[in-house]
Structures are given as C-alpha cells and as structure tokens.
C-alpha cells in the first residue's frame, strides 16, 4: 500500500523515503521533504474558477512537483468536466501523477479519468462504522485522529477494506504542519503498511 501524507500530517525529516511514499505540500516554495511531492490544489468542491485552478497547476509545475493532489474535489456528475479538463491540462504540463480527493465515493464517470481517488477522508470515529458503499479496491483512505494505541489496528483495517493507498494517523486535520514544527504526529504514527 502506498503512503500518502496530506498537508496536516507531514512525515518527520528523519523518515527514510521509499518509492511508495507521496507527500502533499500545501503551497509552492514550502518544500519540507525529499519524498515524492504532490502539490495541493484546492478545487473548493468545484467552486473555484478554472483560471485560478490552472494558475495553481502552473505554480506547482514551476516548483518541481511530480503531480497534484486535487483536494476538496467535487464528487457528483456535474463536476466531471472541469476536473477532467484540469487533469488533461496538468498532464500537458508534465504533471501526470494526480490524486483526486473528494473524500467520498464519486460518480462512476470519475473512474474514466485515470487518476487515483480518495474515497474516504475523515476521522477514525467515522471510519470504524463506514460501510464503504461505492468504493473500489485500490481507492485511497485518509483516516485521522486515530488514538495512538489503535494505529496498528487502523492500518490493518485500511488493508482489509482494500485501500490501495492512504494514511492512518493520530494527527488532526486542524493541526498545521508549520505549527507542529513540520510534523504532525510522529513518522511511525503516519506510516501506513500493507498488512
């Protein structure tokens, strides 16, 4: 399982990078990691203008990102067109690795875009009882606020639910990486394993 660190749970500087680790950076020019970098682009659930989104894409290309984390993405059929255009234009700019994060299952048309999709983004309390309707094996699950003693159990649950990438962390999405000295939670708490 690939590890994906959203901006609220940056890995510690001492974490040894591997080929299956992606780090989502909040803004260009604030690189804190030698890991593979995905630049975060906030789609505001489809409410941002295409011009503003593409300006962000261009900034990430200049900053040397390897791809994009399209955060707060729309999940309904009405958002497919703008998201598809963003994905195509990102690819033309050399940003081929794209993760879409609506945080919920999407309309089936999103599956045709050839991107990875996070179909769960929420707290441990919600993930425990989550039914997973509309999810496919290989989708991403981002689970935060896991009590530290339950991190191993949370990682195993991600694996049993077929997550292809994701994170189980004791960090809260409301704790900024900057406020935490660059690391929210510990490297060990943020690491996701395949078992």
């Amino acid at each position: 399982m690939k590890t994906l660190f959203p901006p609220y749970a940056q890995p510690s500087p001492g974490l040894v990078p591997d080929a299956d680790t992606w780090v989502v950076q909040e803004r260009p020019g604030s690189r804190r990691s030698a890991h593979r970098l995905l630049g975060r682009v906030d789609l505001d659930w489809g409410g941002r203008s295409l011009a503003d989104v593409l300006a962000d894409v261009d900034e990430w290309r200049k900053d040397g990102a390897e791809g994009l984390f399209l955060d707060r993405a729309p999940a309904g059929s009405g958002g497919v067109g703008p998201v598809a255009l963003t994905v195509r234009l990102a690819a033309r700019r050399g940003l081929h690795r794209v993760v879409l994060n609506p945080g919920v299952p999407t309309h089936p048309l999103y599956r045709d875009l050839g991107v990875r999709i996070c179909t769960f983004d929420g707290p441990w309390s919600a993930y425990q009882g989550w039914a997973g309707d509309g999810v496919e094996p290989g989708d991403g699950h981002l689970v935060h606020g896991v009590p530290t003693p339950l991190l191993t159990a949370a990682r195993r649950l991600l694996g049993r639910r077929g997550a292809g990438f994701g994170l189980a962390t004791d960090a809260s999405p409301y704790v900024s990486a900057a406020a935490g000295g660059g690391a929210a939670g510990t490297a060990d708490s943020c690491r996701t394993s395949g078992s």
Side-chain angles (χ1 to χ4, degrees), residues 62-87:
K62 290 178 200 170
D63 196 55
E66 294 185 48
L68 300 173
F69 182 75
L70 301 179
D71 202 11
R72 299 195 322 151
S77 61
V80 174
V83 170
L85 184 56
T86 300
V87 170

Side-chain angles (χ1 to χ4, degrees), residues 48-60:
R48 288 188 70 206
S49 74
L50 186 58
D52 288 343
V53 168
L54 293 181
D56 286 354
V57 170
D58 285 334
E59 285 299 313
W60 283 116

Side-chain angles (χ1 to χ4, degrees), residues 11-12 20 25 29 39 48 79 91 96 121 127 133 140 158 170 188:
S12 70
D20 290 333
Q25 198 70 49
R48 288 188 70 206
H96 299 283
D121 186 352
Y127 192 67
D133 296 333
L158 264 72
D170 54 2
D188 289 338

